[in-house]
Amino acid sequence: MNIDDWKTQIKRGTLEFCILLMIRQKPSYGYEIISTLEHYPILAVKENTIYPLLRRLLKEGYISSTWKESTEGLPPRKYYALTGQGQDYLEAMGKEWDNLLATIEAIKGV
């Protein structure tokens, strides 16, 4: 495995967590999520990655969606928001993430 393969594995494992963190801050639409993630190259993804993930999160009840008309004459956008179940899931993920980081720091000897 090379470093690019390893980075892909890291992205797969953290993308869901990051998307839920973003949606918790404010309801967002798919392209907005993609654009935000582009600011963080290790997390940058294409539509064919984001939309299936959003559909799965919807199906599992962690997020909800609503269509909103644009005030700029653009087509309506589907906004995603965190549900109560999603908030609980995100809190559990956050605890596991903090535990993982603390473990890695301990192993690194920092």
Side-chain angles (χ1 to χ4, degrees):
M1 179 181 290
N2 64 35
I3 195 69
D4 289 331
D5 292 338
W6 186 73
K7 286 176 10 183
T8 298
Q9 294 297 326
I10 290 173
K11 184 190 303 188
R12 239 182 240 135
T14 57
L15 188 58
E16 180 176 324
F17 183 45
C18 292
I19 289 171
L20 291 173
L21 287 168
M22 290 168 52
I23 292 172
R24 180 182 66 183
Q25 292 175 9
K26 71 178 182 79
S28 303
Y29 56 94
Y31 184 74
E32 181 180 25
I33 294 168
I34 292 167
S35 297
T36 300
L37 291 172
E38 285 177 350
H39 295 163
Y40 309 97
I42 196 163
L43 294 174
V45 292
K46 304 277 188 222
E47 292 174 9
N48 63 346
T49 299
I50 288 293
Y51 290 109
L53 177 54
L54 290 170
R55 281 192 298 274
R56 183 176 59 77
L57 291 170
L58 271 168
K59 183 179 176 185
E60 293 173 350
Y62 298 133
I63 61 174
S64 61
S65 66
T66 55
W67 286 95
K68 293 186 183 177
E69 295 292 328
S70 170
T71 57
E72 302 159 1
L74 298 170
R77 294 180 173 148
K78 190 175 198 178
Y79 281 80
Y80 300 93
L82 204 59
T83 64
Q85 183 181 349
Q87 181 62 41
D88 293 343
Y89 181 51
L90 184 56
E91 287 176 21
M93 290 174 86
K95 288 177 185 174
E96 291 303 320
W97 182 258
D98 291 344
N99 183 33
L100 175 64
L101 291 181
T103 302
I104 291 170
E105 292 300 319
I107 290 169
K108 282 174 54 180
V110 174

